[in-house]
Amino acid sequence: MKPQEPRMGASAEASGEPRNDLRLDAKVVSTVFHGKDTRYTVLRVQMPGEPGLATWVGRSGGVDDGAQVSAAGEWVHHPTHGRQFAFTRLVAKAPTTLPGIVRRLERYPGLGADKAEKIVAKFGLDTLTILDKQPRRLLEVEGVGPKTLEKLLAFHEARNGPVVEVENQLIELDLPTYLAQAIVDRYQDRALQVMRERPYRLAREVRGIGFLTADKIARALGVDLESDDRVDAGLLYTLEQAEQDGHCALPEPVLVQQAVRILELPADKIADGVARLVAGDDLVRDERPGQSGALCYPRRHYEAELHVAAALVDLALGTGDRPRWRSIAMPSDLSPGQAAAVAAITDAGLVVLTGGPGTGKSTVTRQIIETALANGSALLLAAPTGRAAKRLAEATGQRATTIHRLLEIQGNTGQFTYGADNPLDPGLVVIDEASMLDLPLAEALLSALTPEHRLLLVGDADQLPSVGPGNVLRDVIAAAERPGSPIPVVRLTQIFRQAEGSTIVVGAHDILHGRVPQSDRRSDGEFYVVPARDAERAHELVIKAVTERIPQAYGLNPRTDIQVLCPMHKGRAGTEAFNLALQAHHTQGQPELALHFPGRAAPKLFRVGDRVMQVRNDHERNVFNGDIGVVTAVYPDTQTLVVEIDGTPVAYDSKQLASLQLAYAVSIHKSQGSEFPAVVVPLLGEHHVMLRRNLLYTAVTRARRLCLIVGDPRAVTQAVHRGDAARRYTGLSERLLATLRARLGETEFVADV
């Protein structure tokens, strides 16, 4: 029978004992009760200097018999069970379970999960005592040598003070111990107090700790789940989740509704939280004429939209210091649209060039570059990703780089050398694959430009928008195409003769216009749709196509030339299943490196010959999100490997490997800015939440020689007919219109905002 939980504090007064925030130490003799859900715990403990056992009650993560614990609380008198120590906080002075000790040792340099498990298997609960008093005994464990022992002893001796206390608390809460250092760095000696009393501050103030982790801490420690701290942190977390879907803001009713679902609290309490965050300047409530409900922005996104709009208008309107370019002779085979784009840049400071595959965007870009060079202008060519920058350089014959490198990012700090106080040298700035430009990156780029620059944004507005928040290219086009706008937008629609024979290009344009694409009738064609009734059949057909049929028919390398592009990661038709299956086929038996990461049941496995992708920007090492390479060497003893990316060997240590993943199959979103000789796309009804025209269009336009869609024809039809791209809540278009209106006045600029 579950013991009755006392009302903390009430019994102290009845007993006549003063209320104190006492701090006591004890050894746990036995756990009388521990509620799995409530974490209400009843312990029998032996306190120093006391002849008998005492009863301690409170909420905790549970401790093992024999554990040395420290607690804070007060003595109370229970009507039935008598005198008890009601603790508000309880922490074991060291890990008290075998898994807890393993988790502690995993962080020691030179150990890792395998060696930590071997050490604990040999010494059990005495492991940490042996580490303190007889450390050389660790040499008895296979794999632990003198150098490893020297490293872990230095690490062990340096671990004292608040870091250890916070780590012990994290272990009791079954949370990663690596968070301890960041918490202590932020709060110093107050770290444990803040963590226990105001855990939701961690979500707002400590990098690496989100709302869910703070909520887990609060629930375990019995913190009030209706506190203002929790509501505020939950609202900001709701906006962070929206940002993952590309939103810069949320309508206030939507924000409240989503936060109610996350926090499980009444809507009026959530609405009070919105008002509190607005008053505290954490949120901006943006009221708009004709809109139902205000948009609620995190302040950084609101200010970013203002800055981007102002910078674009400055470029568009220019100053007297930017001379008009003289025109040069243009090739006679340019279309009227292409010629218009070249003509526009001679006088305009901002031009947008958009169009689908085969419409000649690269031709126009080259001609604009020639015009710039003829007028003595410097060139600054860039793209959001390394692969897109490489394609831009190949298409133009000019040096191109990532936007991050153009602005000279300082290590991995996120700070740029070039910005408002140190702008880039004047010249023509060409940004290719501008559909990938998110709001933060657009703000960083535009802050480094002045009205003396010319900016050409080149991209396909019908592709998927950026992975990050915002919809910059579409928003700029939407504002620029309004009547009276001074920003030229050139849409290329004509497919040129050299592209007319490509069924990939034809299929892409069919999709763009809402028509279901048709398979090639030729045996050596470029575009095919192969029916598959379910995910298992699709998986089987994709693997066969990649490993046998395409290499045989087209002479392509199955490991480097054929890319599987998936709408989703999970399931038999997702990236994870395809990567494991293709890795097993391509590199089985090759030298391998297995890595164990916290929270992952299975190890992360890399073999020599594996196709891999970098998934985060690492500017110090010159590798970028989306870079693809091949593993050329693995070193299991040091937990390192080498990847060749674009002909350059790049070394990865165990920490850097968290940014590397198999890339036989990647998401369609991750493929933006890249092209591949052959693309294979599984598409099924189970992908229904992702089935939209721009998703399928983006996948098809990644292919140069062959595009193979494997799946349910009904899913293809559904994707083609869903032309409504998933809506993103942004305000850049309206803000750009408002800025133009303010600068030009009612008489010259009449577009309604």
Side-chain angles (χ1 to χ4, degrees):
M1 180 177 176
K2 175 184 172 181
Q4 181 183 356
E5 298 181 24
R7 290 188 300 114
M8 299 299 182
S11 301
E13 295 175 3
S15 68
E17 296 187 35
R19 294 183 57 165
N20 292 308
D21 189 16
L22 296 175
R23 297 178 183 274
L24 302 177
D25 295 326
K27 179 180 179 180
V28 176
V29 175
S30 64
T31 298
V32 178
F33 176 81
H34 176 65
K36 184 177 181 181
D37 296 325
T38 65
R39 294 180 178 254
Y40 181 72
T41 305
V42 180
L43 303 174
R44 294 287 283 167
V45 303
Q46 179 68 63
M47 296 169 58
E50 295 291 332
L53 300 182
T55 299
W56 286 12
V57 298
R59 300 184 191 280
S60 80
V63 291
D64 287 342
D65 294 350
Q68 295 290 335
V69 294
S70 178
E74 61 179 339
W75 288 104
V76 299
H77 183 82
H78 191 280
T80 304
H81 302 293
R83 189 172 185 260
Q84 302 175 335
F85 184 68
F87 59 82
T88 55
R89 298 184 296 278
L90 178 80
V91 61
K93 294 183 179 180
T96 59
T97 65
L98 296 180
I101 297 172
V102 170
R103 290 200 305 274
R104 162 70 68 84
L105 293 184
E106 281 178 355
R107 293 198 63 223
Y108 281 51
L111 289 185
D114 289 342
K115 290 177 184 175
E117 288 174 358
K118 288 179 181 178
I119 291 171
V120 175
K122 182 172 181 63
F123 299 116
L125 293 173
D126 295 328
T127 297
L128 296 180
T129 302
I130 287 171
L131 185 57
D132 283 328
K133 298 181 178 180
Q134 298 175 287
R136 294 196 63 80
R137 287 200 61 193
L138 269 66
L139 295 173
E140 300 171 17
V141 178
E142 181 185 356
V144 179
K147 289 185 178 179
T148 299
L149 180 63
E150 183 180 347
K151 287 180 183 178
L152 68 89
L153 283 179
F155 185 77
H156 183 69
E157 290 170 6
R159 301 172 60 74
N160 51 43
V163 172
V164 173
E165 292 180 335
V166 173
E167 279 194 345
N168 288 336
Q169 180 72 84
L170 289 169
I171 287 171
E172 294 301 320
L173 298 173
D174 195 27
L175 290 169
T177 55
Y178 67 78
L179 299 173
Q181 190 63 57
I183 297 172
V184 173
D185 287 346
R186 176 65 179 83
Y187 302 112
Q188 300 300 316
D189 292 340
R190 297 170 51 246
L192 200 59
Q193 179 185 356
V194 173
M195 180 179 171
R196 289 167 169 172
E197 296 177 1
R198 299 194 64 185
Y200 293 104
R201 284 185 60 184
L202 275 60
R204 300 178 62 178
E205 299 174 357
V206 179
R207 184 167 183 171
I209 296 182
F211 172 78
L212 296 182
T213 298
D215 206 39
K216 183 174 182 180
I217 294 171
R219 289 174 182 274
L221 297 176
V223 175
D224 182 9
L225 298 183
E226 296 189 10
S227 68
D228 289 350
D229 277 356
R230 182 169 186 263
V231 173
D232 295 352
L235 280 163
L236 295 176
Y237 171 71
T238 303
L239 286 168
E240 288 171 8
Q241 293 300 104
E243 186 177 314
Q244 300 301 311
D245 293 327
H247 301 298
C248 297
L250 284 177
E252 188 168 353
V254 175
L255 172 60
V256 171
Q257 180 185 21
Q258 293 186 3
V260 164
R261 188 167 62 250
I262 290 171
L263 295 170
E264 298 180 332
L265 293 174
D268 57 351
K269 195 164 188 64
I270 305 298
D272 290 344
V274 173
R276 190 166 49 248
L277 289 172
V278 170
D281 221 24
D282 292 294
L283 287 187
V284 176
R285 184 188 275 122
D286 186 30
E287 302 281 358
R288 296 186 183 177
Q291 297 285 338
S292 58
L295 275 182
C296 291
Y297 281 83
R299 175 154 289 281
R300 67 185 185 281
H301 289 336
Y302 178 78
E303 292 181 347
E305 286 191 351
L306 289 175
H307 294 158
V308 168
L312 289 170
V313 170
D314 285 345
L315 283 165
L317 301 183
T319 66
D321 298 329
R322 187 176 64 207
R324 189 181 192 280
W325 282 351
R326 61 182 175 83
S327 300
I328 64 172
M330 289 190 286
S332 59
D333 58 350
L334 290 184
S335 72
Q338 290 177 311
V342 178
I345 201 69
T346 61
D347 193 37
L350 171 62
V351 174
V352 181
L353 176 65
T354 186
T359 57
K361 294 192 299 295
S362 296
T363 300
V364 174
T365 303
R366 285 193 297 269
Q367 188 62 34
I368 288 174
I369 287 172
E370 287 186 25
T371 303
L373 293 173
N375 281 271
S377 173
L379 295 177
L380 301 167
L381 275 59
T385 67
R387 293 184 70 81
K390 183 180 179 183
R391 287 180 56 206
L392 177 60
E394 292 169 349
T396 61
Q398 302 289 334
R399 180 180 178 274
T401 185
T402 64
I403 296 173
H404 287 84
R405 294 197 68 191
L406 175 69
L407 301 177
E408 293 189 7
I409 192 163
Q410 300 168 13
N412 288 321
T413 64
Q415 302 298 312
F416 294 100
T417 299
Y418 292 101
D421 297 328
N422 183 32
L424 292 162
D425 292 335
L428 171 67
V429 180
V430 179
I431 302 299
D432 198 17
E433 296 290 352
S435 63
M436 300 175 66
L437 200 60
D438 63 22
L439 181 64
L441 188 56
E443 182 187 26
L445 170 68
L446 290 165
S447 70
L449 305 185
T450 70
E452 296 179 57
H453 287 91
R454 281 178 166 85
L455 174 62
L456 174 66
L457 295 175
V458 184
D460 187 344
D462 294 306
Q463 287 189 29
L464 288 169
S466 58
V467 175
N471 207 348
V472 174
L473 182 62
R474 278 179 173 247
D475 284 351
V476 172
I477 291 174
E481 290 187 328
R482 298 289 284 273
S485 167
I487 303 172
V489 176
V490 179
R491 286 185 179 268
L492 302 179
T493 56
Q494 178 183 339
I495 302 176
F496 282 82
R497 186 174 297 110
Q498 63 268 29
E500 286 179 347
S502 167
T503 47
I504 293 174
V505 171
V506 172
H509 283 270
D510 280 343
I511 293 167
L512 191 57
H513 292 93
R515 298 188 294 266
V516 177
Q518 301 300 309
S519 287
D520 259 318
R521 297 184 181 278
R522 301 171 294 168
S523 59
D524 60 345
E526 297 179 343
F527 185 88
Y528 296 96
V529 179
V530 176
R533 61 186 176 273
D534 53 38
E536 191 60 47
R537 179 59 174 161
H539 183 93
E540 177 187 331
L541 290 174
V542 167
I543 298 300
K544 189 174 185 67
V546 171
T547 59
E548 299 177 22
R549 301 190 66 178
I550 295 175
Q552 292 169 3
Y554 292 84
L556 296 175
N557 185 321
R559 280 194 292 178
T560 58
D561 294 338
I562 306 171
Q563 184 65 60
V564 180
L565 300 180
C566 303
M568 302 174 77
H569 294 293
K570 301 295 184 181
R572 287 292 284 167
T575 61
E576 295 174 2
F578 284 124
N579 274 322
L580 291 176
L582 290 170
Q583 181 187 50
H585 182 276
H586 291 317
T587 59
Q588 187 70 44
Q590 294 297 311
E592 65 183 38
L593 171 62
L595 292 147
H596 296 267
F597 289 96
R600 287 178 62 103
K604 200 172 184 179
L605 190 68
F606 295 107
R607 298 193 183 111
V608 170
D610 274 338
R611 178 180 174 89
V612 292
M613 174 184 279
Q614 173 79 14
V615 295
R616 296 187 188 92
N617 288 331
D618 188 336
H619 303 279
E620 288 184 345
R621 300 168 61 243
N622 202 31
V623 287
F624 302 95
N625 187 6
D627 282 352
I628 292 178
V630 175
V631 177
T632 57
V634 298
Y635 304 99
D637 290 344
T638 57
Q639 298 278 281
T640 60
L641 56 74
V642 177
V643 179
E644 186 174 297
I645 300 175
D646 292 332
T648 302
V650 180
Y652 284 79
D653 63 26
S654 57
K655 291 182 180 177
Q656 294 158 347
L657 282 168
S659 299
L660 207 63
Q661 66 182 30
L662 293 175
Y664 299 109
V666 300
S667 70
I668 296 172
H669 278 88
K670 276 289 185 188
S671 73
Q672 288 175 268
S674 301
E675 277 190 350
F676 310 96
V679 161
V680 181
V681 185
L683 209 66
L684 296 159
E686 66 186 50
H687 299 139
H688 62 92
V689 296
M690 301 292 292
L691 294 179
R692 284 185 167 86
R693 186 180 299 167
N694 60 352
L695 182 93
L696 180 56
Y697 175 76
T698 299
V700 171
T701 54
R702 301 308 91 203
R704 285 199 301 268
R705 286 186 56 189
L706 174 67
C707 178
L708 176 65
I709 299 174
V710 179
D712 188 339
R714 292 172 298 181
V716 176
T717 300
Q718 181 182 346
V720 168
H721 289 163
R722 287 182 70 186
D724 58 317
R727 180 180 181 184
R728 290 192 167 189
Y729 291 109
T730 70
L732 179 59
S733 180
E734 290 84 353
R735 233 169 286 291
L736 184 52
L737 287 170
T739 307
L740 282 168
R741 188 170 185 167
R743 292 281 294 274
L744 295 175
E746 297 284 348
T747 56
E748 294 186 53
F749 186 65
V750 297
D752 291 329
V753 179

